[in-house]
Amino acid sequence: MANVSQQEPKLRIALVCDFFYPRLGGVEMHIWSLAQLLIRQGHKVIVITHAYGDRKGVRYLPGPLKVYYCPIVPMVDQDAL
């Protein structure tokens, strides 16, 4: 039987996706919601996506959520990966 007082280990999670803020849609909202839930559970979460216009480098969004906008050139309709 598991010890009730024993806490599960906190994880470091990277979510990698072509679609993320500032673009808005279903995938973007799902990644955002998943990241927020994992952060609330105590995990360290980052998002890795491609650059959008002048949005490059590291940005911090509310949560706090760290987002890496990598200088990858999208091919079609913001798809890069």
Side-chain angles (χ1 to χ4, degrees):
M1 206 180 259
N3 185 352
V4 176
S5 64
Q6 184 180 17
Q7 294 183 357
E8 291 191 25
K10 301 304 177 190
L11 303 175
R12 294 172 19 164
I13 301 167
L15 301 173
V16 181
C17 188
D18 278 338
F19 307 108
F20 198 66
Y21 182 83
R23 181 180 169 142
L24 298 177
V27 173
E28 297 83 351
M29 294 307 298
H30 176 75
I31 296 293
W32 171 264
S33 299
L34 179 60
Q36 296 303 313
L37 176 66
L38 292 167
I39 289 169
R40 280 196 302 268
Q41 291 180 349
H43 302 293
K44 181 177 179 175
V45 180
I46 64 169
V47 173
I48 302 171
T49 189
H50 62 79
Y52 285 90
D54 65 342
R55 186 176 288 268
K56 298 177 178 119
V58 179
R59 300 280 179 106
Y60 291 89
L61 301 179
L65 179 60
K66 191 174 188 179
V67 182
Y68 291 86
Y69 291 96
C70 300
I72 301 169
V73 178
M75 293 184 268
V76 177
D77 193 32
Q78 300 299 317
D79 293 339
L81 302 177

